[in-house]
Amino acid sequence: MILSIVRRVIDTDANLSATLPRLNAAEWIAIDTEADSLHAYPEKLCLIQVSIDGEDLLLDPLSGTDLQPAFDIFSQHQLILHGADYDLRLFRKHCGFVPTAIFDTMFASRLLGAREFGLGNLVERYLGVKLEKGPQKANWARRPLTPRMETYARLDTHYLKLIADILTAELKSKGRLEWHQQCCARLIADSTDIIPPDPETVWRVKGCHHLSNHELAVLRALWHWREREAVASNRPPYFVMPPEAMVSISIAAVAGTDLERAMPRYLTPRRRKGVQEAAAEGLADNHPPGPLRHRGKRLTETEKRRLHTLEDRRNQRATELGIDPTLIAPRALLIALAGEWKEHEHELMPWQRDLLN
């Protein structure tokens, strides 16, 4: 089911200006993004896919085109997206744009009980079209885009309006449209709230929980070295050094064994020297960090009973509704509610609170 469509790449101010009247007059706008997080560091917003009635557009943020007039129009529409959280973060971080309203097709499908809710799953289920997985891991900063990349990118928004219409009808029939609207409003708020990284946790990589204080000090110094290298080389940190190697080097440094044996073989001499210097810096740290302490308090017996009651009620409601129980409330929130309901009930959306009461 391929719609008859006009395809355009917008990479100049003149092209955008010619497109703005049609964007402004559009009854609906579907939107998606592509970034280069697998290929660059820090990531860049590389492409904005937009579908309106009769057109699939690709807006090129890397072209130098002033896209603010397009964002001004987007803010006046409810935008249709699929799995919007990452897109919203990209828009907020790179463009300062926060949409007014969205319709997230992934959230809608989950509220209807879907267990497979990828875009490809929904398009195949509702429209009988099998989408090519395509160049998902491609470098979206490359120019020009290949024809295959352009086609893949356009299909990310091409079917969203059709899917959204179907899901809207189903949400209405089940009385869950208001739930979805609340979810989308919360998603906008959560995804566009920029929280600076915690300096006490940002460097703690996978596998470091068993390290001693001095080993953690080496790891912290190595992490900062890796960050500098990643930015300088414009490569994701993992490709500079994977976490398991950082943990091994930290252990070797404190043990006084040969660091060369713990280093990945592909490291250049310059980077090997940088690792040695970072390890020495960590060993000389007079204020080594300690392991993270669990900040939560133990539940009393009364609170444990309250937790079991909340879990039973949540699971029963989820079974009746045919949805994932964590949509009503994840376990971590249930624990918090069991301890201090009044303090944490604001974290529940109204529809979730109604189901738990």
Side-chain angles (χ1 to χ4, degrees):
M1 184 178 181
I2 299 290
L3 304 181
S4 176
I5 212 81
V6 176
R7 299 169 173 83
R8 289 189 174 87
V9 177
I10 309 300
D11 55 5
T12 67
D13 289 334
N15 285 345
L16 180 63
S17 295
T19 305
L20 292 176
R22 296 193 302 280
L23 277 179
N24 194 45
E27 294 185 4
W28 55 268
I29 296 177
I31 198 165
D32 189 36
T33 63
E34 300 293 349
D36 61 353
S37 58
L38 296 178
H39 301 271
Y41 192 77
E43 69 188 3
K44 300 183 294 296
L45 174 61
C46 298
L47 199 65
I48 303 172
Q49 303 100 291
V50 178
S51 289
I52 59 178
D53 190 14
E55 285 190 80
D56 289 331
L57 308 171
L58 300 180
L59 308 188
D60 185 358
L62 303 182
S63 65
T65 303
D66 180 9
L67 298 178
Q68 187 57 48
F71 287 119
D72 291 341
I73 292 173
F74 295 159
S75 67
Q76 300 169 23
H77 288 73
Q78 181 190 61
L79 304 179
I80 307 171
L81 302 98
H82 182 85
D85 53 347
Y86 184 60
D87 304 302
L88 295 178
R89 294 182 197 282
L90 283 176
F91 282 139
R92 176 67 176 87
K93 178 181 178 181
H94 295 282
C95 310
F97 170 64
V98 178
T100 304
I102 65 170
F103 185 102
D104 189 318
T105 52
M106 187 181 79
F107 253 115
S109 66
R110 295 192 68 199
L111 287 173
L112 292 167
R115 293 297 188 264
E116 294 182 320
F117 39 79
L119 178 60
N121 300 122
L122 300 185
V123 172
E124 185 170 6
R125 175 182 174 186
Y126 289 112
L127 305 178
V129 176
K130 191 170 183 63
L131 295 181
E132 179 197 8
K133 289 188 178 179
Q136 292 173 305
K137 298 182 180 180
N139 183 358
W140 290 99
R142 68 165 289 174
R143 293 296 183 270
L145 298 174
T146 66
R148 186 171 179 232
M149 291 171 71
E150 284 195 19
T151 298
Y152 170 84
R154 288 189 173 100
L155 289 178
D156 276 347
T157 54
H158 186 77
Y159 296 106
L160 282 183
K161 171 59 173 171
L162 292 174
I163 297 296
D165 286 345
I166 294 170
L167 295 174
T168 297
E170 292 190 12
L171 288 169
K172 285 181 178 178
S173 70
K174 291 181 179 290
R176 301 177 193 177
L177 185 59
E178 174 62 27
W179 299 2
H180 182 257
Q181 292 168 346
Q182 292 175 23
C183 288
C184 288
R186 175 66 63 88
L187 188 59
I188 292 173
D190 290 348
S191 298
T192 56
D193 183 17
I194 298 179
I195 302 174
D198 184 347
E200 284 301 311
T201 61
V202 67
W203 53 268
R204 294 177 189 263
V205 301
K206 182 180 179 181
C208 76
H209 60 280
H210 65 284
L211 297 184
S212 69
N213 291 11
H214 290 293
E215 290 165 345
L216 288 172
V218 175
L219 177 66
R220 180 168 62 185
L222 279 173
W223 185 89
H224 284 291
W225 166 82
R226 187 180 72 163
E227 281 291 293
R228 294 191 296 270
E229 286 292 315
V231 172
S233 61
N234 194 31
R235 293 282 285 165
Y238 181 89
F239 292 108
V240 175
M241 183 178 289
E244 56 269 24
M246 298 170 69
V247 171
S248 296
I249 292 170
S250 301
I251 294 171
V254 174
T257 58
D258 186 7
L259 293 189
E260 289 288 334
R261 293 189 175 185
M263 293 185 201
R265 297 193 332 186
Y266 58 78
L267 286 187
T268 63
R270 183 186 65 79
R271 284 188 173 173
R272 288 177 181 277
K273 181 182 178 183
V275 169
Q276 295 277 4
E277 292 172 349
E281 178 188 337
L283 290 172
D285 192 337
N286 292 322
H287 302 285
L292 287 177
R293 302 297 181 188
H294 180 61
R295 297 177 182 176
K297 67 180 183 68
R298 289 183 177 273
L299 295 179
T300 66
E301 290 303 314
T302 299
E303 290 168 344
K304 287 179 181 178
R305 288 193 294 271
R306 195 177 300 145
L307 173 61
H308 291 316
T309 299
L310 285 171
E311 280 189 312
D312 289 344
R313 187 175 302 155
R314 178 199 68 173
N315 294 342
Q316 180 182 349
R317 297 287 191 272
T319 299
E320 293 167 353
L321 295 165
I323 62 175
D324 181 347
T326 62
L327 283 173
I328 299 176
R331 179 173 169 79
L333 180 53
L334 291 181
I335 292 173
L337 291 167
E340 293 289 346
W341 177 276
K342 292 287 187 184
E343 184 178 338
H344 295 281
E345 69 170 326
H346 71 277
E347 298 176 41
L348 293 168
M349 288 174 271
W351 72 271
Q352 295 170 317
R353 190 161 52 244
D354 291 343
L355 292 177
L356 287 176
N357 281 328

